[in-house]
Amino acid sequence: QVQLVESGGGLVQAGASLRVSCVASGRTLRRYNMAWFRQAPGAPGKEREFVARISASGVITSYADSVKGRFTISRDNAEDTVYLQMNNLKPEDTAVYYCAGGSVYAITPQLYTMWGQGTQVTVSS
């Protein structure tokens, strides 16, 4: 049973940077496409919002328009770790950030079969 564990969240001021990480245990991630999603506070009933995705090889990436140019997704398959580098953070980036993995390269959360528990990112103005 694979487990994904996110870390690196925290409270920062607008304009700051954070890097969140997702580490897998129980199974290697190198064959899976990976993605980051987020869920804003006060929106537990809404679908998780796509943030970024990366192919299994790490060659192909894509981003939500709201984070393009500010966030970078990367992976280290040797360490079974996926990263999300977030620069120039804005208050509207405040959310719980979730790591997800699966066999599809998608922006729809329902298509991912592996999920972490999430890490809180809070950006103050």
Side-chain angles (χ1 to χ4, degrees):
Q1 181 74 20
V2 64
Q3 284 190 313
L4 301 180
V5 179
E6 301 96 333
S7 62
L11 170 63
V12 297
Q13 290 190 325
S17 297
L18 269 180
R19 187 177 78 163
V20 291
S21 303
C22 171
V23 178
S25 64
R27 185 182 296 177
T28 180
L29 288 183
R30 65 195 65 186
R31 292 185 300 173
Y32 297 97
N33 300 296
M34 302 297 296
W36 288 94
F37 291 83
R38 67 186 181 186
Q39 193 155 41
K46 291 188 178 180
E47 184 173 276
R48 292 175 181 176
E49 177 191 10
F50 166 73
V51 176
R53 58 180 172 169
I54 187 167
S55 62
S57 65
V59 172
I60 303 172
T61 60
S62 72
Y63 300 88
D65 288 343
S66 58
V67 307
K68 201 172 296 183
R70 299 187 298 121
F71 290 12
T72 302
I73 188 170
S74 62
R75 65 190 299 161
D76 183 343
N77 283 343
E79 298 294 328
D80 288 322
T81 303
V82 179
Y83 304 98
L84 184 67
Q85 176 67 44
M86 303 182 288
N87 298 328
N88 189 23
L89 281 160
K90 303 176 180 180
E92 52 264 42
D93 294 320
T94 294
V96 177
Y97 283 73
Y98 296 91
C99 172
S103 58
V104 294
Y105 182 67
I107 64 171
T108 304
Q110 291 88 344
L111 297 180
Y112 286 88
T113 55
M114 298 181 291
W115 288 89
Q117 82 291 344
T119 185
Q120 176 71 49
V121 172
T122 303
V123 185
S124 63
S125 57

